Amino acid sequence: MQIQVHSDNHIEGSARLADWVSASVAGKLDRFDDELTRVVVHLNDENGDKAGAHDKRCQIEARPKGLQPISVTHKAESLELAVDGAVDKLNNALAHQFGKLRSKRAGGQPQMIDGAAVAGRDALLEEDFLADEQVRNS
């Protein structure tokens, strides 16, 4: 997954800022590393030099392989809060998107829940858990 960081002319776009944002995004989205080609982060100070509540904005666009891009935005008092909020929103949106795709591949939700359907769902959850564990341990 490639991560790009862009900022407007009111935010000093230093290498240190780009490294911090990239590390934050990569750390929280590492479980989607194989499914994403690129993540683009846009940082803006909407009021410019003036102070104000919720004037920092972070927009993140994720590009999943073979799917339409997903974009989220979060506004906060500081860049740190804006980035954290946007990454959390993106994490939820990607989990929802890929969860829907997994359920379609598995044949969708069964109309009647019986022992076999529950066992199949448990096996899928265990498989996802083991895959996440393997990524964390490597």
Side-chain angles (χ1 to χ4, degrees):
M1 162 178 55
Q2 179 185 8
I3 300 173
Q4 298 174 342
V5 180
H6 303 280
S7 60
D8 68 3
N9 57 352
H10 298 290
I11 295 174
E12 184 180 331
S14 65
R16 188 172 148 199
L17 175 68
D19 290 343
W20 171 76
V21 171
S22 295
S24 295
V25 170
K28 290 189 179 180
L29 300 180
D30 63 345
R31 70 184 212 172
F32 302 115
D33 193 37
D34 293 336
E35 287 113 348
L36 298 176
T37 58
R38 183 172 36 169
V39 175
V40 182
V41 180
H42 297 278
L43 303 172
N44 299 77
D45 185 347
E46 294 187 334
N47 288 346
D49 295 331
K50 297 181 275 182
H54 302 294
D55 68 333
K56 306 294 190 276
R57 181 172 67 96
C58 177
Q59 178 185 6
I60 305 177
E61 180 182 327
R63 303 203 178 182
K65 293 177 184 173
L67 300 172
Q68 292 294 314
I70 297 173
S71 179
V72 297
T73 301
H74 189 77
K75 293 181 182 180
E77 299 93 34
S78 70
L79 277 178
E80 182 177 338
L81 293 173
V83 170
D84 286 343
V87 171
D88 288 342
K89 285 182 181 181
L90 183 60
N91 189 17
N92 291 338
L94 290 170
H96 179 75
Q97 179 75 27
F98 292 128
K100 283 174 39 177
L101 289 174
R102 285 188 188 115
S103 70
K104 283 183 181 178
R105 286 186 203 135
Q109 293 291 334
Q111 292 296 326
M112 299 184 70
I113 298 178
D114 58 14
V118 171
R121 247 190 333 213
D122 288 345
L124 288 174
L125 289 172
E126 183 177 359
E127 182 180 312
D128 286 347
F129 174 77
L130 292 174
D132 289 344
E133 281 292 309
Q134 186 179 18
V135 168
R136 277 190 230 118
N137 292 332
S138 55

